[in-house]
Amino acid sequence: MPGPLDGLFVLDLSRILAGPTCTQLLGDLGAEVIKIEAPGKGDDTRGWGPPYVMGEDGQPTDLSAYYMCANRNKKSVTVDLASAEGQETIRKLAARADVVIENFKPGGLAKYGLDHATLCAAHPGLVYCSISGFGQTGPNRDKPGYDLMAQGYGGIMSLTGEADRPPMKVGVGIADVMCGMYATVGILAALRHRDRTGEGQHIDLALVDTQMAWLINQGTNYLTSGNVPSRIGNAHVNIVPYDVFATSDGHVIVAVGNDAQFARFCDFLGQPGWADDPDFATNTARLNNRARLEPMIADAMRQHAMDAVIAGLEARKVPVGPVNDVAQALGSDQAQARGMTVSMPVPGSADGAVTLLGNPLNFSATPVTYRRPPPSVGADTDEVLSSLDP
């Protein structure tokens, strides 16, 4: 069954994670994605391993796990952008494209005549998305941008980790991933405009800008109060109790969202009086008295086993859950029921297939499809280039 973006042609000049996250999502939704890679090594992430998919000969292939996380449903075409022939190839592909996405340094494609100004002038209906560290304007325009640097510059690292420990990055490249999500939304909005008016446009997107945008309540807390937020570990800046607590045999998450839930939580702990105490009865009071209340909760929680806490709070409809490792999360019955891992055949690999993370979108009429496994570098060069006009 065709996906919602069936018939859309995407020319992907991006590499590493933000752009490829976007184009994989567009591909999952049915778009045809042509991924341009440098001859030889291809996308930088092909070398970011181990782990790698192993070939039938027992040797690692060019499919690193990192590369595979963002590059299914694409065709790989190798093109030397520094050559006149390569530049002409890209121009021919751009003439077919609905969308071009790139993450070169600002101005980096202008010397090849492949920048947004040139291609959009030649193809007025083209949606051209540029991703960079700091954007196409501003004093930091020419600085390189990587996920870790964006997390540091954009503020999220200052909020992540324990209060008495150094700043900490998020455990995955979340600035890249979220930038890719914003890119997807922007491209779809620009296509909607194009379909109504025939007018394409340039989308200028920065890792740092998007990271600042998803500071969410912490950023708005600062803008409202003038108080600079700081690290508080797993606790919530606006809700108490909302944290990870040690039990007698493990850890659980408790996320009390309102005062009625707090009363039921106190009932489980055998401390109903806490819910009636004016210092703790409301969320505002609990925030003001966090330093007293949280140690009391921690002491009480350590008296119970993890499974008993989860069962007891679930029975009382208090939000509670485990702290799973990756194997537990992806192996859970919930993950399996929701299709959050998928197997795709890879001819020539030792196992004959690879297992990837699933797409979380569930459409009632135009489902996500998994049509093409992550390609080896240049696997589709002959097929794609032979279809171009001479």
Side-chain angles (χ1 to χ4, degrees):
M1 180 181 296
L5 299 183
D6 183 55
L8 192 75
F9 187 103
V10 178
L11 178 57
D12 183 4
L13 305 180
S14 70
R15 58 218 183 275
I16 302 182
L17 191 54
T21 294
C22 168
T23 52
Q24 175 171 274
L25 180 50
L26 297 174
D28 285 357
L29 298 178
E32 180 181 4
V33 180
I34 305 300
K35 180 180 178 72
I36 303 301
E37 301 194 66
K41 69 171 186 174
D43 190 307
D44 293 349
T45 60
R46 290 186 183 275
W48 291 7
Y52 293 96
V53 172
M54 302 304 290
E56 292 175 327
D57 59 1
Q59 297 301 307
T61 69
D62 64 356
L63 298 177
S64 69
Y66 201 118
Y67 174 81
M68 291 195 299
C69 81
N71 284 290
R72 66 168 168 252
N73 285 334
K74 303 178 186 181
K75 296 177 181 178
S76 173
V77 174
T78 52
V79 175
D80 179 6
L81 294 185
S83 71
E85 180 183 7
Q87 293 156 23
E88 181 59 22
T89 296
I90 297 301
R91 280 190 280 272
K92 288 181 178 180
L93 289 169
R96 289 188 181 182
D98 299 284
V99 177
V100 172
I101 183 168
E102 58 90 7
N103 63 348
F104 284 75
K105 291 180 181 179
L109 288 175
K111 61 185 176 182
Y112 304 137
L114 303 175
D115 55 305
H116 73 272
T118 302
L119 292 184
C120 288
H123 310 291
L126 183 66
V127 172
Y128 190 116
C129 180
S130 297
I131 295 174
S132 59
F134 290 89
Q136 304 295 305
T137 60
N140 292 342
R141 171 184 183 270
D142 295 321
K143 291 185 177 181
Y146 286 89
D147 177 90
L148 180 60
M149 297 165 66
Q151 289 196 40
Y153 194 97
I156 194 66
M157 283 181 66
S158 74
L159 305 176
T160 306
E162 300 292 339
D164 58 349
R165 303 286 292 170
M168 183 67 62
K169 73 176 182 68
V170 179
V172 297
I174 191 65
D176 271 330
V177 171
M178 285 301 299
C179 189
M181 296 297 177
Y182 276 101
T184 303
V185 173
I187 286 169
L188 294 178
L191 288 170
R192 169 70 169 162
H193 174 76
R194 192 273 315 264
D195 290 346
R196 286 203 315 265
T197 68
E199 179 186 37
Q201 60 185 296
H202 181 222
I203 302 169
D204 169 11
L205 200 58
L207 290 180
V208 170
D209 292 352
T210 56
Q211 197 266 265
M212 290 180 182
W214 53 262
L215 288 174
I216 311 299
N217 62 300
Q218 289 279 45
T220 310
N221 284 350
Y222 162 70
L223 293 173
T224 302
S225 69
N227 297 322
V228 179
S230 58
R231 294 183 295 285
I232 55 174
N234 291 310
H236 196 292
V237 67
N238 295 118
I239 306 172
V240 173
Y242 189 108
D243 209 336
V244 176
F245 293 98
T247 66
S248 63
D249 61 348
H251 291 83
V252 297
I253 295 167
V254 176
V256 171
N258 57 54
D259 299 335
Q261 289 177 359
F262 182 67
R264 298 196 296 273
F265 177 56
C266 294
D267 175 71
F268 169 78
L269 293 178
Q271 298 289 345
W274 291 355
D276 298 323
D277 188 327
D279 286 348
F280 309 136
T282 67
N283 184 65
T284 298
R286 292 191 294 277
L287 278 171
N288 291 334
N289 294 286
R290 182 200 295 269
R292 278 200 302 130
L293 178 59
E294 287 187 337
M296 294 162 57
I297 293 173
D299 288 343
M301 290 286 282
R302 280 191 287 266
Q303 307 308 310
H304 301 272
M306 180 174 63
D307 288 346
V309 171
I310 293 175
L313 293 183
E314 284 182 343
R316 290 168 174 80
K317 300 189 183 307
V318 175
V320 63
V323 181
N324 287 332
D325 62 25
V326 172
Q328 291 169 326
L330 297 181
S332 67
D333 54 1
Q334 180 69 17
Q336 298 308 303
R338 299 288 291 177
M340 287 314 301
T341 61
V342 296
S343 178
M344 301 189 74
V346 176
S349 65
D351 296 331
V354 296
T355 302
L356 305 173
L357 297 175
N359 188 306
L361 291 169
N362 291 280
F363 293 87
S364 63
T366 55
V368 163
T369 56
Y370 304 105
R371 306 178 307 283
R372 304 178 67 92
S376 293
V377 63
D380 307 288
T381 301
D382 291 343
E383 173 197 342
V384 172
L385 297 191
S386 65
S387 69
L388 296 178
D389 294 332

